[in-house]
Amino acid sequence: MASLMELKEIFRSADAVCFDVDSTVIREEGIDELAKFCGVGDAVAEMTRRAMGGTVTFKAALTARLGLIRPSYEQVQKLISDNPPQLTPGIRELVSRLHQRGVQVFLVSGGFQSIVEHVALQLNIPTTNVFANRLKFYFNGEYAGFDETQPTAESGGKGKVITHLKEQFHFKKVVMIGDGATDMEACPPGDCFIGFGGNVVRKQVKEKAKWYITHFDELLKELEER
């Protein structure tokens, strides 16, 4: 098991860094914001807490939450325009610094493609580097479910994305940064997990992560020291 010093060295020399999005890159949980927007906020927030704590499978929680929300295409677009996701302080500078160093940055999220792509554009991350869940709609715009074939739709999915990236791009060192149990599960195959508690603290992650931060400035400093 790698020590904290070894994890820091992996981060400083990484080929790729994968970020979770909800409560990590952005301050909110996208699905909770969508639920509030659609009038079922409290019930869905409780399901999110259980899912992030690792007590139910991600796909079961996602199916149940979306079954309650049933968002239309129009509601999703209106949420993005009226209540755009708020970037976490320091993330823009960190991603910019990683790009300057030639590090590939990916957004790997259990959230929704349309919202995550909006975030990617703000951070100059190509949308081809986004892995997230895709909502499905009928021709009239009504909710028709979600694409269950996406790896991010199930527990362990983020690890599958990292395995895919290693195979496709031959990355030697991939770092995963996130606030939740699904992010921690991705290492291995990820080479380093950094727990993030700047927006919300998940007890299980804080207790188990060898490297736990509360502000992205901590990672910027690591890069400056090399």
Side-chain angles (χ1 to χ4, degrees):
M1 193 70 85
S3 67
L4 178 58
M5 194 180 294
E6 287 167 331
L7 291 177
K8 288 185 174 184
E9 179 52 37
I10 291 169
F11 173 66
R12 286 193 296 264
S13 58
D15 309 295
V17 176
C18 297
F19 288 92
D20 171 51
V21 176
D22 294 330
S23 296
T24 300
V25 168
I26 62 173
R27 301 186 72 114
E28 325 73 355
E29 283 289 323
I31 194 164
D32 288 352
E33 294 305 305
L34 184 58
K36 278 188 234 168
F37 198 74
C38 297
V40 289
D42 290 345
V44 169
E46 178 53 35
M47 286 185 182
T48 297
R49 273 193 292 276
R50 290 208 303 272
M52 294 305 292
T55 54
V56 294
T57 69
F58 185 82
K59 186 179 268 188
L62 184 62
T63 303
R65 288 180 291 178
L66 283 172
L68 267 178
I69 304 169
R70 301 194 66 77
S72 67
Y73 177 80
E74 185 182 354
Q75 284 172 318
V76 174
Q77 297 308 310
K78 193 160 171 48
L79 172 69
I80 294 169
S81 64
D82 291 5
N83 299 300
Q86 301 298 305
L87 291 177
T88 299
I91 188 63
R92 201 186 289 275
E93 294 80 1
L94 178 57
V95 170
S96 176
R97 188 78 184 96
L98 289 167
H99 281 156
Q100 285 168 14
R101 293 165 67 94
V103 179
Q104 288 259 26
V105 178
F106 296 86
L107 299 181
V108 185
S109 173
F112 306 122
Q113 189 88 14
S114 50
I115 296 173
V116 178
E117 285 185 352
H118 177 82
V119 173
L121 291 170
Q122 293 182 70
L123 296 171
N124 295 315
I125 295 170
T127 53
T128 49
N129 285 21
V130 168
F131 293 84
N133 288 316
R134 296 175 185 273
L135 294 171
K136 297 197 290 192
F137 303 99
Y138 293 112
F139 286 116
N140 64 0
E142 286 181 7
Y143 174 68
F146 64 96
D147 183 355
E148 297 190 25
T149 66
Q150 293 296 317
T152 49
E154 57 190 338
S155 300
K158 292 180 181 180
K160 287 180 184 169
V161 170
I162 290 175
T163 297
H164 163 74
L165 293 176
K166 284 187 162 186
E167 288 170 354
Q168 184 176 357
F169 297 107
H170 307 292
F171 293 140
K172 296 283 189 292
K173 295 177 187 171
V174 178
V175 173
M176 182 76 214
I177 301 172
D179 67 291
T182 58
D183 307 307
M184 194 161 55
E185 285 171 1
C187 299
D191 301 279
C192 167
F193 170 66
I194 304 171
F196 183 72
N199 293 311
V200 63
V201 175
R202 316 278 182 200
K203 185 168 178 280
Q204 178 194 19
V205 176
K206 186 176 183 184
E207 287 174 356
K208 292 188 178 177
K210 279 215 170 156
W211 190 1
Y212 193 81
I213 64 167
T214 55
H215 202 288
F216 287 124
D217 280 358
E218 296 171 62
L219 298 183
L220 268 172
K221 282 188 193 124
E222 287 298 325
L223 296 177
E224 302 308 328
E225 283 173 15
R226 184 167 175 176

